[in-house]
Amino acid sequence: MPLPHAKCILLAAVLACTAAGARCADLTADERAAGWKLLFDGTTTSGWHRIGKNERPGNAWIAQDGELKLVKTLGVTGGGDIVTDEMFEDFELIWEWKIAPDGNSGVKYNLPDPSRAIGCEYQLLDDAKNSDAKVHNRTHVTASLYDMFAPPPDAKLNPAGEWNMGRIVVQGNHVEHYLNGVKVVSYDFGSDVFQKAMAESKFKEAPGWGIKTKSSILLQDHNSEVSFRNVRIRPGY
């Protein structure tokens, strides 16, 4: 199905920013009219808090140069997973990210317990160097539904230290993961295929996991430096 015009405009704009190395922490009037909103304003950590705590992100999460960065410099503390103040059910999420060599992180959604970092994860990884990319039938590589469904082997991933674009679409029970503009994972909550994969995953006994729910969006601290920018969402997709 062709993308609606407003979505084409947004994807083209974000891809243009990526190609140019630009920072685009703003929305056009057309994008706002189409229902898009920023989850990161480019200058502060406003709108985010530490998961399970009523407090802002710690010192390791910094807003700098239009990026939301998790830094792992010696002596810097106050990391941990962070989540959006707002909760979402059906949505389209677009963001850019880059990760340090051998790095591991993720974007999580559909968290059954808002105080715990257990949910559906769009994996972010240095596939070339991190050993996690070589296990579990590739269900731990970038853009996978972590430990469940892998992207195709020819999915285009830019190397560590370079920007990539992620996209998650959730509409009803149907979910899609995109990497650099290409759909790489597609699944349906509750389907036979989903239930079989879940029964063989580490989530098989996790209460509420894999049941469609309204939740925050989570950025993971997996002890690796990672940066995010142009983080935007269209609720009610």
Side-chain angles (χ1 to χ4, degrees), residues 80-93:
D81 299 330
I82 61 173
V83 293
T84 55
D85 294 346
E86 191 172 350
M87 301 177 77
F88 305 95
E89 189 170 10
D90 286 356
F91 61 86
E92 181 177 9
L93 174 69

Side-chain angles (χ1 to χ4, degrees), residues 11 50 53 73 76 88 101 153 157-158 169 215 232:
L11 284 169
R50 297 182 66 185
K53 301 179 182 295
T73 306
V76 175
F88 305 95
L157 173 65
N158 296 324
V169 175
S215 85
R232 49 195 70 196

Side-chain angles (χ1 to χ4, degrees), residues 39-233:
L39 290 183
F40 170 53
D41 62 15
T43 57
T44 72
T45 59
S46 177
W48 297 83
H49 63 273
R50 297 182 66 185
I51 189 168
K53 301 179 182 295
N54 186 24
E55 58 187 58
R56 296 292 100 193
N59 295 333
W61 287 98
I62 62 171
Q64 185 179 74
D65 300 326
E67 302 172 21
L68 180 57
K69 301 179 180 181
L70 176 63
V71 298
K72 290 296 179 179
T73 306
L74 185 64
V76 175
T77 59
D81 299 330
I82 61 173
V83 293
T84 55
D85 294 346
E86 191 172 350
M87 301 177 77
F88 305 95
E89 189 170 10
D90 286 356
F91 61 86
E92 181 177 9
L93 174 69
I94 296 176
W95 75 99
E96 292 179 89
W97 59 277
K98 67 177 178 180
I99 199 161
D102 196 32
N104 187 334
S105 184
V107 174
K108 297 186 182 183
Y109 56 98
N110 208 74
L111 282 63
D113 183 341
S115 67
R116 301 183 65 201
I118 299 176
C120 297
E121 179 179 352
Y122 180 116
Q123 172 80 308
L124 306 178
L125 197 74
D126 177 3
D127 288 353
K129 293 185 178 180
N130 193 289
S131 60
D132 218 18
K134 299 173 177 60
V135 297
H136 301 282
N137 296 319
R138 299 185 62 259
T139 61
H140 290 192
V141 303
T142 293
S144 62
L145 174 61
Y146 179 78
D147 212 50
M148 289 278 290
F149 301 119
D154 61 351
K156 184 183 184 304
L157 173 65
N158 296 324
E162 295 186 13
W163 289 102
N164 288 276
M165 187 175 76
R167 179 176 172 230
I168 299 169
V169 175
V170 180
Q171 187 174 32
N173 285 326
H174 185 68
V175 183
E176 297 173 351
H177 288 188
Y178 292 73
L179 176 62
N180 293 320
V182 177
K183 183 167 68 175
V184 293
V185 166
S186 179
Y187 67 91
D188 293 279
F189 289 122
S191 68
D192 290 345
V193 172
F194 185 90
Q195 294 301 115
K196 181 177 185 299
M198 182 176 167
E200 297 171 353
S201 78
K202 63 175 60 178
F203 304 113
K204 60 186 176 183
E205 296 181 358
W209 195 94
I211 298 173
K212 176 71 180 297
T213 189
K214 188 175 186 179
S215 85
S216 299
I217 305 296
L218 179 148
L219 303 183
Q220 185 185 44
D221 178 351
H222 203 286
N223 298 314
S224 302
E225 291 203 339
V226 61
S227 295
F228 301 87
R229 70 181 184 189
N230 301 324
V231 186
R232 49 195 70 196
I233 196 165

